[in-house]
Amino acid sequence: MSRRALTLLLAGFLVLALGVVGAFSPVPYVVLSPGPTENTIGEVDKKPVISIKGRETYPTSGALSLVTVAYQGGPAAQIDLLTALRGWIDPTVAVVPQETIFAPNRDPKEVEEENTVEMTNSQDSARAAALSELKIPFSMVVTVVSTEKGRPADGKLLKGDEINSVDGKPAKDVDVVGDAVKAHKPGDNVTFSVTRGGQKLDVTVPTVAGPKGQTLVGVVMQAKYKFPFDVDINVGDVGGPSAGLMFSLGIVDKLTPGEITGGKRIAGTGTIQPTGEVGAIGGIAQKMVGAKDSGATVFLTPADNCAEAMQAVPDGLRLVRADTLHDAVLALDALRTGKGNVPACEAG
């Protein structure tokens, strides 16, 4: 074999070896794919997803399914380049930078605690929204769960503090408190009126800029509600704020005569405020695929996700815009009876 041929052969092996090594090298991306669906008026592991005690309930039919996104990758288990490439050519999945899912330089325990609080807040907000829709009275108070070490609130706001107001504005829910803080510029002071150990006092906390430039004080909060009866939500390993709308609809369906689905398989997504406003979510394309695969024919879509959803909606899945829980209830009533307006997602 000539020297030139040997050189080309060795170069070819080197390129091949580098290609193989590169293909299996970890990359800082996360693959998002359609996750499992759960019928909120059905069962998980032979247990009702929503169980109500202390109040009359009514039979249901069809499905009101929450949809999820599964992810592969992350700081503790990065995917390789080959997996990312497969994701980029698969229209049913998305490949996104790792930092869009996992906040950099965060203590994993703090993140886990915040995720747990977020899940609890979402389910409580769903209960509150459903009872508000049905005009059933209840009470609520925003409480401090913890503070982030080294942040301004650390040592100033204490676990168990009940936040009554922020800068004189009533703390109607967790988001109101958060928005009041974000309305400040980093370096401003925020005044919290709290109840601590039965005593009311004002606590002044300076603000700082967060990792993404937002204003924060470093406090983890939770809305604690006092409901007139028990509403338990059981979803196993599934959770997160994007299921709020479907939890609320499931509660409303169980607490009202008749079946709001009309026997249809309805799926949907959206965060929920205690007052019933539906908020945008991520992974809408993957969630619609999961909905279609579960047999759903109607998909309740937050208004702010409509434009994106229309670009990727699977054939046979009807998009219904849901601005509020009340709008969603009315839309399902119109679908069932054939009377009334069914708001659709529109371009632009």
Side-chain angles (χ1 to χ4, degrees):
M1 181 180 295
S2 68
R3 178 177 294 180
R4 180 179 181 185
L6 180 60
T7 301
L8 290 174
L9 181 62
L10 291 174
F13 276 124
L14 180 60
V15 170
L16 178 62
L18 290 174
V20 171
V21 171
F24 292 97
S25 296
V27 292
Y29 288 90
V30 175
V31 174
L32 306 178
S33 58
T37 63
E38 297 293 353
N39 180 11
T40 61
I41 52 176
E43 295 184 342
V44 173
D45 297 330
K46 298 182 179 181
K47 295 181 179 180
V49 174
I50 297 172
S51 58
I52 298 172
K53 298 178 181 178
R55 186 88 173 190
E56 183 178 7
T57 58
Y58 301 89
T60 60
S61 68
L64 288 167
S65 296
L66 62 87
V67 287
T68 64
V69 174
Y71 73 85
Q72 183 181 2
Q78 287 189 321
I79 60 172
D80 54 46
L81 180 60
L82 190 60
T83 300
L85 290 173
R86 284 199 298 264
W88 273 314
I89 63 176
D90 186 342
T92 67
V93 305
V95 181
V96 300
Q98 180 177 285
E99 61 267 20
T100 64
I101 307 297
F102 300 91
N105 302 320
R106 291 295 308 280
D107 185 334
K109 290 184 178 180
E110 285 184 357
V111 174
E112 183 178 350
E113 182 179 54
E114 287 185 15
N115 289 340
T116 300
V117 171
E118 187 178 58
M119 289 169 58
T120 302
N121 283 343
S122 174
Q123 293 180 6
D124 278 344
S125 293
R127 295 180 181 96
L131 268 61
S132 295
E133 172 68 18
L134 298 173
K135 305 295 190 293
I136 299 173
F138 59 91
S139 60
M140 183 278 297
V141 63
V142 176
T143 63
V144 174
V145 175
S146 64
T147 55
E148 296 180 37
K149 189 175 181 180
R151 295 293 192 186
D154 187 22
K156 291 182 176 291
L157 294 174
L158 306 181
K159 181 178 181 179
D161 282 354
E162 297 180 354
I163 300 176
N164 305 312
S165 65
V166 182
D167 295 331
K169 299 177 182 178
K172 295 181 178 180
D173 58 50
V174 171
D175 287 332
V176 167
V177 176
D179 290 343
V181 173
K182 292 174 185 176
H184 285 270
K185 295 179 180 178
D188 288 350
N189 288 328
V190 181
T191 301
F192 293 85
S193 175
V194 305
T195 299
R196 178 183 299 167
Q199 295 185 337
K200 292 186 177 181
L201 63 154
D202 290 337
V203 180
T204 300
V205 183
T207 61
V208 294
K212 297 182 179 180
Q214 76 276 29
T215 303
L216 54 79
V217 295
V219 60
V220 178
M221 300 169 290
Q222 183 175 351
K224 287 193 174 181
Y225 294 89
K226 293 182 180 179
F227 298 115
F229 49 88
D230 292 333
V231 180
D232 293 324
I233 298 176
N234 163 50
V235 286
D237 294 332
V238 177
S242 65
L245 171 62
M246 302 313 292
F247 285 143
S248 290
L249 285 171
I251 296 168
V252 169
D253 197 10
K254 290 200 166 196
L255 288 174
T256 53
E259 301 168 341
I260 64 175
T261 65
K264 295 180 181 293
R265 298 190 67 82
I266 312 293
T269 188
T271 63
I272 196 77
Q273 295 295 322
T275 49
E277 289 82 5
V278 176
I281 51 80
I284 189 74
Q286 289 71 46
K287 289 178 178 179
M288 289 189 297
V289 172
K292 179 67 185 300
D293 290 346
S294 73
T297 57
V298 174
F299 190 79
L300 297 170
T301 312
D304 288 342
N305 287 117
C306 271
E308 181 184 358
M310 290 180 66
Q311 300 296 319
V313 59
D315 291 338
L317 191 65
R318 180 178 181 178
L319 298 183
V320 174
R321 193 183 76 243
D323 297 349
T324 66
L325 172 61
H326 185 65
D327 291 338
V329 170
L330 292 179
L332 292 179
D333 183 67
L335 284 170
R336 185 182 70 255
T337 63
K339 301 176 182 179
N341 177 51
V342 180
C345 283
E346 299 176 355

